[in-house]
Amino acid sequence: QVQLVESGGGLVQAGGSLRLSCAASGIMFSVNVMGWYRQAPGEQRELVATITPGGSTNYADSVKGRFTISRDNAKNTVYLQMNSLKPEDAAVYICNARGRSYTGAFDAWGQGTLVTVSS
């Protein structure tokens, strides 16, 4: 079973920075796309950014130029560097990873880490 564990959330003032990390563990043959999503209270979960094993990235328009996603394939870990944070960035940030394990394809989600941005 693949598990994802996030870290790095917290409280930050508007304009500040945070770095989130998410490590995947378990028996995995391959990890394909990894990404970050977020969900604010009363809102639907939305894509923040994704990254392929080769480093191709995709960002939500609302975070382009401020957030940077990266990954360490050897550690099955994905990062999200968040700069110039705005109050509207406040949400639970949830890690996602897709790939193949000994039981077949997996689509795993973390528990989420809370990001609070004060104005």
Side-chain angles (χ1 to χ4, degrees), residues 38-98:
R38 67 186 182 187
Q39 188 166 18
E43 302 290 333
Q44 290 189 335
R45 185 174 296 186
E46 64 175 359
L47 170 73
V48 176
T50 60
I51 185 168
T52 67
S56 295
T57 58
N58 178 51
Y59 293 94
D61 288 342
S62 59
V63 306
K64 283 180 181 177
R66 299 188 297 121
F67 291 10
T68 302
I69 190 170
S70 60
R71 65 189 283 173
D72 184 332
N73 292 329
K75 296 181 179 179
N76 290 322
T77 299
V78 63
Y79 307 95
L80 185 68
Q81 178 67 42
M82 304 185 294
N83 298 329
S84 302
L85 282 160
K86 304 176 181 179
E88 52 263 43
D89 293 318
V92 174
Y93 282 70
I94 306 157
C95 177
N96 172 254
R98 301 171 188 176

Side-chain angles (χ1 to χ4, degrees), residues 24-43:
S25 63
I27 301 175
M28 297 168 287
F29 295 150
S30 63
V31 180
N32 194 1
V33 176
M34 301 185 79
W36 290 94
Y37 293 72
R38 67 186 182 187
Q39 188 166 18
E43 302 290 333

